[in-house]
Amino acid sequence: MRDNTVLNVRRRVAALALAIMTVAAACTTGTSTGTTTTTAPEPTTTTTAPTTTTAPTTTTVPIDCSRIHAGVDLTGCDLSGRNLTGAVLTGANLTNADLTGANLTGAFLMGATLEGATLTDTTLYGIRSGNITGTPATLTTDWHLIGGHLIGYNANLADADLTGTDLTGTTLTNANLQGANLTGANLTGANLAGANLTGVTWDNTTCPDGTTTSTGC
């Protein structure tokens, strides 16, 4: 009985020793269970294609010099000799236009641009103007561009605001000045023969003879 017990103990000790040896051997050889190895990802290189910018295309529309209407662009047009009687050219751009010998009788040029325009021997009878911009290259004899108005014989200056305007030596024969405001205007030496002065506002106005009036010249 005692011998069997001793034998069993020896067997258990041997088994335990074998187990210890097995574990030790596993640690020595680097064997491990349930170990996860993670491989670092390789760096990614991103290449961005260069952006190409296309310049906008500008289309130039040729000027149609045959069109006559308010606000029209007639820059550089040859309008010499044209019959533009009663033409409505309010706000038109006549920069560098050639109006030599053209007939602008009774035309409307309020707010037009006349920079560099040629108006040699241009007929301007009864023309309506005001707020004209730019300086013409030439003007018909005895005509002037003053304060945005075309000033000359037979000009239609009805209701024009000529406050403080220097009209010295101008020719206003047969001009229509009905209802015009001549407050503070200087008419020294001006020719008003046959001019319509009905309803004109006179206030500290200098008359053609050099006198100052608030009642009329």
Side-chain angles (χ1 to χ4, degrees), residues 16-207:
L16 180 59
L18 180 60
I20 291 172
M21 291 175 64
T22 301
V23 172
C27 292
T28 301
T29 58
T31 302
S32 61
T33 305
T35 302
T36 301
T37 304
T38 302
T39 303
E42 295 183 2
T44 302
T45 302
T46 302
T47 303
T48 303
T51 302
T52 302
T53 303
T54 303
T57 302
T58 303
T59 302
T60 302
V61 179
I63 294 175
D64 184 355
C65 296
S66 67
R67 302 183 65 186
I68 303 297
H69 58 80
V72 67
D73 185 1
L74 296 171
T75 300
C77 284
D78 182 1
L79 302 172
S80 56
R82 288 278 296 275
N83 183 6
L84 300 172
T85 300
V88 179
L89 290 167
T90 304
N93 186 355
L94 291 160
T95 299
N96 297 325
D98 185 358
L99 289 157
T100 301
N103 187 350
L104 286 169
T105 299
F108 295 79
L109 259 69
M110 290 82 75
T113 300
L114 295 180
E115 181 65 35
T118 302
L119 287 89
T120 302
D121 296 327
T122 305
T123 302
L124 301 171
Y125 297 153
I127 196 164
R128 295 295 301 266
S129 62
N131 296 318
I132 289 176
T133 58
T135 303
T138 61
L139 269 174
T140 296
T141 303
D142 291 330
W143 280 81
H144 307 275
L145 180 62
I146 303 174
H149 292 86
L150 285 168
I151 307 294
Y153 47 89
N154 292 98
N156 190 344
L157 296 166
D159 300 316
D161 185 2
L162 299 170
T163 301
T165 304
D166 185 1
L167 299 171
T168 301
T170 56
T171 301
L172 289 166
T173 52
N174 299 315
N176 183 6
L177 288 160
Q178 184 174 357
N181 188 347
L182 290 172
T183 299
N186 186 353
L187 291 162
T188 302
N191 188 346
L192 294 173
N196 183 353
L197 301 176
T198 304
V200 169
T201 299
W202 310 93
D203 186 2
N204 196 34
T205 305
T206 303
C207 293

